[in-house]
Amino acid sequence: MIEDDGSVVLPFSENGEDVLKIQFQKQFPDDEKREYYPFFVASWQPDGIRLDSLRLKFRSPPYTAGFSPAGISLREGAHAYKATLSQDGDDPSTTILDMPNTTGIGRGSVKADLLLAGDHEQDPQELWIGTEATLSNNGFWRTEYSATGDFTAEFP
């Protein structure tokens, strides 16, 4: 995990070569508490590697059964038309953003603009973000990759 002033990058590599980077970027300039916190999640992969699917999981503490899921909203624009937002049937405290088929986006990055509803009872507010991605290359010997990782972000 690489952190840099409101941004977190999860790098994935194989044999020292970059395969995928998932970036989480806050889109608010200060530490002021607010009703909603805008942020985006974007992917990057090198030429020759294609992102086939992306699933993001969001969970706010206390992470117990029966606790309501993170207040995540998907904003229009970017690649929202490829995504669905739902509650995890096995873990009701988890919200899932699912992009099961990103191949139509081409070789570029996938980007989703999101909002987190502010929970002023938590200071700072934490949000666990889990990433699951499948990738493939365009080479003669088709290779498939699976990337998983997670981190916890703080708001504000």
Side-chain angles (χ1 to χ4, degrees), residues 51-70:
L51 180 65
D52 296 322
S53 70
L54 179 63
R55 173 177 278 194
L56 302 170
K57 296 181 178 183
F58 303 95
R59 194 168 50 226
S60 292
Y63 314 133
T64 57
F67 187 74
S68 61

Side-chain angles (χ1 to χ4, degrees), residues 119-134:
D119 180 354
H120 299 295
E121 292 178 15
Q122 295 183 35
D123 188 23
Q125 182 174 351
E126 292 184 336
L127 180 66
W128 176 86
I129 303 172
T131 302
E132 299 172 6
T134 60

